[in-house]
Amino acid sequence: MFKVFAFQISDSIDLKSCKSAFTATLYFSDNDELFYEISANKFIYVFKYGVVCFLNHTEVEMSGFLQLISPFSRNPLKERLHEEFEIETEAPKMHLGFNKVSIPEHDTEMLRLIMMHVSQSVALDHFENLTNKLLEETNSHTQVLEIKGKLDLSGPSLKRYIGKTLNLKNRIAENLYIFDSPEETWEDERLSKLDLGLKKTFDLQSRFRTIEEGLAIVKENLELFKDLLQYRQSMFLEWIIIILIAVEVLNLFVEKLMAR
């Protein structure tokens, strides 16, 4: 029985620096991920979107590696998200359960695919948490709008809020590739079957749609907030113009009185 542990440790990881610092055998690498073969049945998977995944490692070994790459992690999380999964090899046939998968043979590509999906799942948890925080913040502003009839956001605050939302959308867009099937599954029926099964097990597509819907709600509210702020600013400018005109008229009136 093999155990998989995936940790979301930060917003992103500098893979180039990580690759230079950790010189174990690289089974696979590209701009988005590093897959290390430490020894027989022992692997580490590092992803640029801030996730590290271990197969068959002790807590001490995992803690040591996470400490090693901590300098290359951008915006480390105060509380790391994690997910566990079990792999049974030499099973009579492939079978997927709630937190366990059985595979009929010991295959490195299968193990890598399983680790990839566990990592994607914990990444989705991270994106979902960030989206929920934006939704909570949005709801607090709409509640103030309902109760007081006015927006409690200033121009700079709204701009920062919009920037936060756009940054999250961009980060998710940058990592959309994690939901694509790896090239290896296109020509291998076993890997393709495992890939589809894992997608269903972790409910990746549905969870991603939930995040998209949440961000769409935030975006819709931002548009409303922006319109309200523009209206408030235009009203303010109109009152300034009215006051200036009134002052000018008053000056003319006073000048005429003084002329008499």
Side-chain angles (χ1 to χ4, degrees):
M1 184 74 69
F2 298 158
K3 278 207 168 186
V4 177
F5 292 89
F7 299 89
Q8 179 84 46
I9 64 171
S10 62
D11 283 341
S12 65
I13 297 173
D14 182 351
L15 296 187
K16 186 176 180 181
S17 299
C18 179
K19 190 175 180 179
S20 299
F22 190 63
T23 56
T25 303
L26 263 174
Y27 181 89
F28 173 83
S29 69
D30 61 17
N31 293 330
D32 302 315
E33 53 197 63
L34 302 172
F35 185 64
Y36 292 99
E37 184 173 13
I38 307 303
S39 62
N41 306 329
K42 213 168 191 177
F43 302 92
I44 296 177
Y45 217 157
V46 185
F47 296 87
K48 76 169 186 179
Y49 51 84
V51 173
V52 181
C53 189
F54 300 91
L55 177 66
N56 277 351
H57 282 72
T58 65
E59 288 189 13
V60 173
E61 290 170 337
M62 292 188 290
S63 179
F65 182 78
L66 295 178
Q67 187 68 32
L68 173 70
I69 68 167
S70 61
F72 319 129
S73 304
R74 186 174 66 86
N75 298 331
L77 302 185
K78 292 181 180 179
E79 294 184 10
R80 293 171 178 167
L81 301 174
H82 74 279
E83 191 151 341
E84 301 176 22
F85 204 67
E86 292 183 349
I87 305 173
E88 179 188 2
T89 58
E90 310 301 332
K93 61 179 181 179
M94 189 183 299
H95 176 74
L96 286 137
F98 175 68
N99 61 350
K100 177 182 174 182
V101 60
S102 301
I103 52 178
E105 55 194 293
H106 184 142
D107 182 88
T108 300
E109 283 299 336
M110 281 189 166
L111 296 177
R112 179 185 160 214
L113 188 62
I114 294 166
M115 293 175 71
M116 181 184 295
H117 280 283
V118 178
S119 300
Q120 291 173 2
S121 181
V122 78
L124 274 177
D125 286 339
H126 178 52
F127 287 136
E128 188 174 6
N129 286 346
L130 294 175
T131 303
N132 286 339
K133 287 179 182 178
L134 282 177
L135 280 169
E136 288 173 8
E137 192 173 346
T138 301
N139 289 336
S140 68
H141 293 310
T142 55
Q143 286 172 5
V144 170
L145 186 61
E146 179 184 1
I147 295 170
K148 297 184 178 181
K150 61 180 181 179
L151 198 61
D152 63 339
L153 278 170
S154 64
S157 297
L158 181 59
K159 289 176 183 177
R160 285 194 296 270
Y161 188 35
I162 291 173
K164 192 190 302 182
T165 304
L166 291 176
N167 279 334
L168 178 56
K169 285 175 69 69
N170 290 340
R171 281 170 52 199
I172 294 175
E174 286 173 6
N175 294 302
L176 278 178
Y177 76 92
I178 69 176
F179 305 106
D180 297 334
S181 296
E183 291 183 11
E184 291 79 8
T185 64
W186 301 349
E187 299 177 357
D188 191 318
E189 187 177 348
R190 301 167 309 131
L191 291 177
S192 179
K193 183 179 178 181
L194 180 60
D195 179 56
L196 291 173
L198 289 167
K199 277 184 168 66
K200 291 179 181 178
T201 297
F202 290 109
D203 200 19
L204 296 181
Q205 298 298 337
S206 176
R207 290 162 63 192
F208 177 67
R209 280 196 299 271
T210 300
I211 293 173
E212 277 195 318
E213 289 166 2
L215 289 174
I217 292 171
V218 173
K219 183 182 177 183
E220 185 179 338
N221 279 274
L222 283 176
E223 292 295 330
L224 172 64
F225 295 162
K226 187 174 69 173
D227 291 342
L228 288 173
L229 190 62
Q230 287 176 343
Y231 175 74
R232 187 168 69 187
Q233 289 174 337
S234 66
M235 287 292 293
F236 180 70
L237 289 173
E238 286 179 12
W239 275 107
I240 290 177
I241 293 170
I242 290 171
I243 291 170
L244 289 174
I245 292 172
V247 169
E248 185 66 24
V249 170
L250 184 62
N251 281 337
L252 288 172
F253 182 72
V254 170
E255 287 176 1
K256 286 185 178 181
L257 283 177
M258 294 294 290
R260 292 178 181 179

